[in-house]
Amino acid sequence: MRVMIPYDVPGTFHRAQLHCHTTESDGRFTPRDLLRMYRDAGYSFVALTDHNRVTRCDDLNGSDFLAIPGTEDTVSRLLRPLGPHMGRLFVDAALREGTAQQRVDRTVASGGIVSLCHPSWTGNLWTGTWSPQAVVTLRGYHLLEIWNPHSNPTEDLRRWDMALTARGPQAPVWGVAVDDCHHAGQFDRGWIMVKVPAVTAEALRAALLGGAFYASTGLSGEVTVSDGRIDVRVDEPARIRFVGRGGRLLAEARGTAAGYRPDGTEGYVRVEATSGGRALWSQPLWVAPE
């Protein structure tokens, strides 16, 4: 079997936050204060994603820290405040009109990256959910939030497996964990570890498009492939699960390391590790005949 691993790229892992809010929308921290908090907590990348606006703050940018422009736009249904939320990274302005597909197309055409925010969130009078059908049929987006404090991770993982199964390796969807931070109680709870050769916008964008990162709420680890075997190591004893196409459980182990050898029927293999309320999710490793 050939196992396609997105982590087989040069670089080192850095912490990145892709969804947070400031006083420019409904957050409690000023842009500079929030960025300083993330920098001091060990993050290298932060995307400010205020609601329906792009907030820029480059004061702290340097060789080891970078703020990325972004926005969290409401895809309106019936009334302007209602509808699900779409994260848009590396963009210059919010989009206030158009269908979800039109907004994805415009974002991608301008060099941006789209993330579907908190897919199972039932806010906005129950209009905030990205339905399983929308997750599967919407074209061109690259990221899906599989952990967000405002959403149901079990439902979001189910949507992710549906999208992976439907789209395959030709148009993969990568899973991200985020704070969606509005106040101190939501700070530093979910993030991604992204593998980049340098702390630059270009390196981050390439890693997000290529899936060279894993999602985390506290666990750190590494997934490697050798002679067709998938191996995972984590930084503390954990429950380690290997999951295949459609969310099928392939194997399970406990400890700081585990391995799985695909037989070719899996479609993809992704890793979940959990310990004491902390978790790690790898990106899918696609399996195909040699």
Side-chain angles (χ1 to χ4, degrees):
M1 292 294 104
R2 177 181 176 221
V3 181
M4 294 171 277
I5 180 168
Y7 306 116
D8 191 16
V9 294
T12 56
F13 282 100
H14 294 256
R15 292 179 81 181
Q17 179 58 244
L18 301 182
H19 187 165
C20 57
H21 299 276
T22 77
T23 50
E24 295 299 304
S25 61
D26 58 350
R28 297 186 183 176
F29 302 104
T30 67
R32 197 176 196 283
D33 285 345
L34 186 59
L35 290 173
R36 185 190 300 111
M37 289 166 58
Y38 278 115
R39 184 196 62 183
D40 293 347
Y43 287 75
S44 297
F45 300 97
V46 176
L48 298 178
T49 54
D50 281 315
H51 291 283
N52 301 301
R53 65 169 294 150
V54 172
T55 298
R56 288 189 174 274
C57 181
D58 302 330
D59 297 2
L60 303 180
N61 285 1
S63 60
D64 59 355
F65 182 82
L66 188 64
I68 300 296
T71 179
E72 182 181 6
D73 292 347
T74 301
V75 182
S76 300
R77 293 177 179 171
L78 302 177
L79 300 176
R80 186 172 293 277
L82 304 182
H85 292 181
M86 178 181 291
R88 301 172 54 249
L89 308 177
F90 305 98
V91 296
D92 295 323
L95 291 177
R96 299 180 180 275
E97 304 293 340
T99 65
Q101 188 62 65
Q102 289 169 338
R103 297 180 194 224
V104 172
D105 293 344
R106 289 180 60 184
T107 303
V108 173
S110 66
I113 294 177
V114 170
S115 174
L116 301 189
C117 301
H118 35 64
S120 60
W121 178 57
T122 57
N124 277 6
L125 298 179
W126 295 86
T127 67
T129 300
W130 288 102
S131 69
Q133 180 182 6
V135 169
V136 169
T137 59
L138 197 61
R139 305 178 308 277
Y141 74 95
H142 288 88
L143 307 178
L144 182 76
E145 291 182 358
I146 58 173
W147 193 92
N148 180 309
H150 305 294
S151 202
N152 182 330
T154 300
E155 281 298 312
D156 297 340
L157 285 169
R158 186 173 72 89
R159 285 163 167 76
W160 188 30
D161 281 315
M162 293 175 66
L164 292 173
T165 301
R167 292 174 51 151
Q170 295 79 20
V173 177
W174 311 117
V176 300
V178 299
D179 283 345
D180 196 357
C181 177
H182 295 75
H183 54 75
Q186 297 167 346
F187 174 75
D188 195 28
R189 295 181 60 189
W191 58 87
I192 64 171
M193 296 295 294
V194 58
K195 192 175 184 183
V196 291
V199 180
T200 65
E202 295 78 11
L204 176 62
R205 185 177 183 279
L208 293 179
L209 291 175
F213 60 91
Y214 64 86
S216 176
T217 58
L219 280 187
S220 298
E222 184 178 19
V223 177
T224 58
V225 175
S226 178
D227 295 327
R229 175 187 165 97
I230 301 170
D231 290 295
V232 57
R233 294 184 180 275
V234 291
D235 60 354
E236 63 181 79
R239 177 191 182 197
I240 301 172
R241 303 170 78 242
F242 296 87
V243 179
R245 179 170 48 204
R248 177 168 64 101
L249 178 62
L250 304 171
E252 183 174 336
R254 293 183 182 273
T256 59
Y260 177 80
R261 186 175 296 278
D263 62 16
T265 64
E266 298 85 355
Y268 62 84
V269 179
R270 61 176 183 82
V271 177
E272 299 178 0
T274 56
S275 175
R278 298 175 298 279
L280 171 156
W281 300 268
S282 81
Q283 301 308 324
L285 284 67
W286 301 95
V287 178
E290 184 63 56

